[in-house]
């Protein structure tokens, strides 16, 4: 089963939401976070090279690939994955972006605050099962 690590990073480079899908090993948890965080600089460079939100693969580390999606408000959706399914990843990012927008419309949510909603978490996991797993 493939491994996926998803992070939603706010405009101030702080993680707003993190999730893991598929087969996970405890020793890779911090390594996955490090690889995704290290790819943020590459996302900052790549976002000015294109006018699309989906940046495709921005970095590679061993067998893992980091794909990114930048929202118009400069929030970054990052996915660390082993599999190569670009259409499915793009669809996953688009659906997660829509879910993030719905969260931003909540009057009780402060922008750039960690998303701790169990409903948000459940919907992201449902999207991962639909598009990635």
């Amino acid at each position: 089963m493939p491994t996926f690590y998803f992070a939603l990073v706010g405009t101030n480079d702080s993680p707003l939401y993190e999730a893991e899908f598929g087969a996970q090993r405890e020793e890779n948890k911090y390594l996955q976070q490090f690889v995704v965080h290290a790819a943020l600089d590459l996302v900052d460079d790549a976002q000015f090279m294109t006018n699309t939100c989906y940046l495709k693969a921005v970095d590679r580390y061993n067998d893992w690939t980091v794909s990114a999606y930048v929202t118009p408000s400069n929030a970054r959706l990052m996915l660390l994955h082993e599999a190569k399914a670009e259409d499915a990843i793009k669809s996953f990012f688009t659906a997660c972006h829509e879910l993030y927008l719905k969260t931003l419309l909540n009057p009780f949510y402060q922008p750039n605050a960690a998303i701790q909603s169990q409903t948000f978490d459940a919907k992201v996991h449902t999207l991962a099962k639909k598009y990635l797993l």
Side-chain angles (χ1 to χ4, degrees), residues 8-11 39-40 42-48 50-56 58 67-78 93-94 97 100:
L8 175 59
V9 181
T11 57
L40 283 174
L42 298 171
V43 171
D44 289 340
D45 293 340
Q47 74 183 8
F48 297 112
T50 183
N51 57 358
T52 62
C53 293
Y54 179 54
L55 302 178
K56 299 183 182 179
V58 293
S67 296
Y69 183 99
V70 180
T71 68
S73 64
N74 204 30
R76 277 91 44 152
L77 287 78
M78 312 278 291
F93 278 144
T94 304
H97 181 209
Y100 177 60

